[in-house]
Amino acid sequence: AGEIGLMAALGIGEVEVSMQAVVAVLSTGDELLDDPAKAACCDLTRGQIVDCNRPMLGALVEESGATFLDMGIVMDDYEALRSSLLAALSQADIVITSGGVSRGSKDHMKSLLSELGSLHFGEMRMKPGKPTTFATVPAPGDSSRLPGRPRSVFALPGNPVSCYVTFKLMVIPALERLHGAPSGVPTFTRVDAELAGDVEMDPVRPEYHRAVARWANGRIIAESTGFQRSSRVASVAGANCLLE
């Protein structure tokens, strides 16, 4: 609002703007339940869990200034995934999926993206987020949004912490570029911090350890959010920084 007022005061009636990006999010997995209210009655013998990735990713999309398009849960079936992915591609600038990117017999995302477009990478030397996959796919012929512009697809791991970290490090910079941010400008600022306690990091892969940073006595103090397993979503709740 302040910028609008300033432009009016300067007599500027027109400016160039960037279109707000639309981000489609879908979760994959036969084991997923859509309703958090059903968590207490999950059939643990079938390995059922409530999908926490999609709500979390949707919130991250909206925090980033983009429009969240909820594409629901898709079973681990190649044709069902293909149909849902094409529907998402026709409506969104960026598509984010979670799950289906490892090496199991029902992990179809890499082969599906290779079929539909160009797979740029299918694994990263990082922790968490090793199986993260990125592809660009031509817009479907029936696209209702910016036909002709290739879509970016981020196929993120199924573990919720991996989803969170890879969204922060990869999707947010892509969204900022779509929203007009200049290239070469870091999305996040690196600063030195003093650790409040010992932190064990992976000796081989670059690790992004969730932590809480605060200003105290003239310096930044960072404290780990605790146990860092990639399935422990509590490690990102309250975190405001990543240690590397």
Side-chain angles (χ1 to χ4, degrees), residues 139-172:
D142 61 349
S143 176
S144 61
R145 182 175 177 83
L146 299 176
R149 188 167 80 177
R151 306 319 198 215
S152 296
V153 182
F154 294 87
L156 307 183
N159 280 321
V161 175
S162 299
C163 267
Y164 180 92
V165 171
T166 51
F167 184 98
K168 287 282 190 178
L169 296 179
M170 297 175 212
V171 182
I172 288 181

Side-chain angles (χ1 to χ4, degrees), residues 76 100-111 131:
D76 290 320
V101 289
S102 294
R103 301 180 185 275
S105 60
K106 291 190 174 184
D107 291 327
H108 301 302
M109 288 307 303
K110 286 182 172 65
S111 56

Side-chain angles (χ1 to χ4, degrees), residues 213-221:
R214 66 182 189 276
W215 183 258
N217 300 321
R219 63 194 191 282
I220 298 172
I221 306 295

Side-chain angles (χ1 to χ4, degrees), residues 126-127 200-207:
M126 64 181 294
K127 180 180 181 179
E200 184 177 348
M201 304 288 269
D202 192 290
V204 177
R205 286 183 286 162
E207 181 172 354

Side-chain angles (χ1 to χ4, degrees), residues 193-201 209-214 219-226 228 243:
E194 180 179 321
L195 297 178
D198 293 339
V199 172
E200 184 177 348
M201 304 288 269
H209 190 105
R210 283 70 67 200
V212 178
R214 66 182 189 276
R219 63 194 191 282
I220 298 172
I221 306 295
E223 184 173 1
S224 171
T225 57
Q228 297 284 299
L243 303 178

Side-chain angles (χ1 to χ4, degrees), residues 110-132:
K110 286 182 172 65
S111 56
L112 178 57
L113 290 171
S114 295
E115 174 201 335
L116 296 176
S118 299
L119 187 68
H120 299 287
F121 59 80
E123 195 168 274
M124 296 198 69
R125 187 170 172 266
M126 64 181 294
K127 180 180 181 179
K130 182 179 178 180
T132 299

Side-chain angles (χ1 to χ4, degrees), residues 18-100:
S18 298
M19 183 181 294
Q20 186 179 41
V22 174
V23 181
V25 179
L26 63 90
S27 294
T28 72
D30 297 341
E31 75 280 11
L32 298 179
L33 293 173
D34 198 28
D35 186 359
K38 295 180 180 178
C41 60
C42 287
D43 182 357
L44 298 180
T45 63
R46 296 182 59 231
Q48 286 186 295
I49 56 173
V50 173
D51 177 20
C52 66
N53 287 347
R54 209 168 78 257
M56 178 181 68
L57 290 170
L60 287 168
V61 167
E62 292 177 343
E63 286 176 7
S64 304
T67 299
F68 167 47
L69 181 61
D70 188 349
M71 300 300 294
I73 296 171
V74 187
M75 298 296 100
D76 290 320
D77 174 81
Y78 193 90
E79 290 305 319
L81 286 166
R82 191 178 193 278
S83 176
S84 293
L85 188 56
L86 287 173
L89 290 166
S90 70
Q91 302 173 67
D93 304 296
I94 290 178
V95 176
I96 302 174
T97 68
S98 66

